[in-house]
Amino acid sequence: MSPPAGSSPSNSLVSAIRCIFERDLRALSREVEAYPADDLLWRQVPGLTNVAGTLALHITGNVQHFLGACLGRTGYVRHRDAEFARRDVARATILAELELASEAVRAGLSNLRDAQLADDFPEVIGGMRFQTGDYLLHLTTHLAYHLGQVDYHRRMVTGSEQAIGAMRTAELSSAHSSEESA
């Protein structure tokens, strides 16, 4: 299977990281779309600290800040407290924010080269410095962690066992038909 439209196979680690961000943001959009009603995104579940709507807003703010503003110089200004305080945001608004997060991925990673992954990330985080590659890998796993939380929240509040195909390996940047290798 070929990579999604707009991506190109590459041996570049930056390309692989970009592809994973894009794949997981598409998966999060499918999760949000899979809720049968907007209000279910905000339904509290005993034992869960954050609901799907909050997690989606947090992910979009996180990606737009670290990839868009820090790496892509988009000018995005993050309001992290609002990511956790906002409630009853419409699904259409969340999906629009997810598209902006995808644009931030493109802005932040389009001009980044593998050699720059060893450089310090442009922002101090928690009083510490990290290599750009190390922090980008952290951010991909952070996104995947919250994506899994959204999946479980959706299944709990809807009672649905429907999978959305979140971790499609065929969407990795190096994916190609086994016949192409022969």
Side-chain angles (χ1 to χ4, degrees):
M1 173 178 249
S2 298
S7 66
S8 60
S10 172
N11 292 332
S12 164
L13 183 55
V14 172
S15 294
I17 291 168
R18 176 180 170 174
C19 189
I20 290 170
F21 272 113
E22 290 172 341
R23 176 195 69 180
D24 290 357
L25 288 169
R26 284 191 305 271
L28 183 55
S29 291
R30 289 193 307 275
E31 283 287 0
V32 169
E33 290 167 345
Y35 281 80
D38 288 14
D39 65 310
L40 293 176
L41 287 158
W42 301 97
R43 182 163 295 165
Q44 293 289 321
V45 175
L48 295 184
T49 307
N50 293 307
V51 297
T54 300
L55 292 166
L57 292 174
H58 171 56
I59 289 166
T60 63
N62 196 54
V63 170
Q64 289 182 77
H65 174 73
F66 289 115
L67 278 77
C70 292
L71 293 177
R73 302 187 202 291
T74 61
Y76 176 80
V77 176
R78 187 176 191 187
H79 301 284
R80 190 175 189 281
D81 291 344
E83 295 167 16
F84 292 94
R86 291 171 68 189
R87 296 287 181 265
D88 301 319
V89 177
R91 177 194 335 242
T93 301
I94 294 171
L95 291 171
E97 287 292 319
L98 283 163
E99 182 53 40
L100 291 173
S102 293
E103 290 172 17
V105 169
R106 289 187 286 279
L109 299 181
S110 291
N111 295 316
L112 189 68
R113 300 293 168 249
D114 281 0
Q116 295 169 284
L117 294 175
D119 295 345
D120 279 349
F121 192 77
E123 182 172 296
V124 174
I125 300 137
M128 302 186 80
R129 286 239 173 244
F130 303 93
Q131 285 186 342
T132 298
D134 192 25
Y135 200 66
L136 287 172
L137 290 174
H138 163 77
L139 291 172
T140 62
T141 60
H142 177 257
L143 170 53
Y145 174 74
H146 287 320
L147 176 58
Q149 289 178 307
V150 171
D151 183 67
Y152 275 100
H153 178 267
R154 178 183 55 79
R155 291 167 186 251
M156 290 171 124
V157 301
T158 66
S160 173
E161 295 179 10
Q162 173 191 359
I164 57 98
M167 305 302 272
R168 296 175 177 166
T169 55
E171 292 183 44
L172 294 175
S173 64
S174 63
H176 61 278
S177 169
S178 61
E179 294 155 7
E180 293 175 29
S181 299

